[in-house]
Amino acid sequence: MNNFIDKEYTIHLDTADPWEGKTLSYSEFKERLKFSFDSFPDMNFEITSAISEENHVAITWILTGTNLGMIGDHPPTNKSIKTKGFTIYHFKNHLIRGHTQIFDRKTVVQQLGFI
């Protein structure tokens, strides 16, 4: 992963993400990924479009997965999710240095039965 991710990774906008607005070290970035994959071990992103320019790549995607691990204080629901989103990855020196992301978290919360 060191070949792709910068030693400092900034989450510029990712509403309701506990790491939103923070700059993560490499080990903190790995912790963030572990949290996501522990909650949804079969998480899959289907990229539906992509646009690149000098230091950015923008993608739209469909996220699917099954909640088989804890999400905060919530025990696993064993329910599947499907939602859409948009991410802009920020690059510097050919490494991903952060992202700006928006996706439909409300649908996920509803699909899991939290609301």
Side-chain angles (χ1 to χ4, degrees):
M1 195 163 18
N2 292 36
N3 295 334
F4 303 105
I5 304 297
D6 193 82
K7 64 183 177 181
E8 291 184 343
Y9 187 98
T10 303
I11 300 170
H12 299 277
L13 170 68
D14 198 345
T15 306
D17 184 318
W19 291 276
E20 198 267 330
K22 296 180 181 177
T23 297
L24 309 178
S25 67
Y26 186 72
S27 62
E28 290 169 321
F29 178 84
K30 286 173 45 176
E31 177 186 328
R32 182 177 184 273
L33 284 182
K34 182 179 179 343
F35 172 82
S36 296
F37 282 100
D38 283 352
S39 301
F40 296 92
D42 63 345
M43 183 175 10
N44 183 65
F45 288 90
E46 175 189 341
I47 296 173
T48 54
S49 66
I51 300 170
S52 66
E53 66 169 29
E54 188 175 332
N55 292 316
H56 298 90
V57 173
I59 62 170
T60 59
W61 43 262
I62 299 170
L63 166 64
T64 57
T66 309
N67 176 223
L68 300 176
M70 296 288 290
I71 300 177
D73 295 332
H74 297 282
T77 64
N78 297 315
K79 293 181 179 180
S80 295
I81 62 164
K82 182 176 183 179
T83 193
K84 296 178 181 180
F86 173 79
T87 305
I88 300 171
Y89 289 101
H90 307 263
F91 287 79
K92 184 176 181 183
N93 298 323
H94 306 288
L95 297 173
I96 304 171
R97 183 145 172 107
H99 76 259
T100 301
Q101 179 168 270
I102 298 173
F103 77 96
D104 187 1
R105 290 182 192 270
K106 182 178 179 185
T107 293
V108 171
V109 172
Q110 289 173 329
Q111 291 172 346
L112 295 175
F114 296 163
I115 59 169

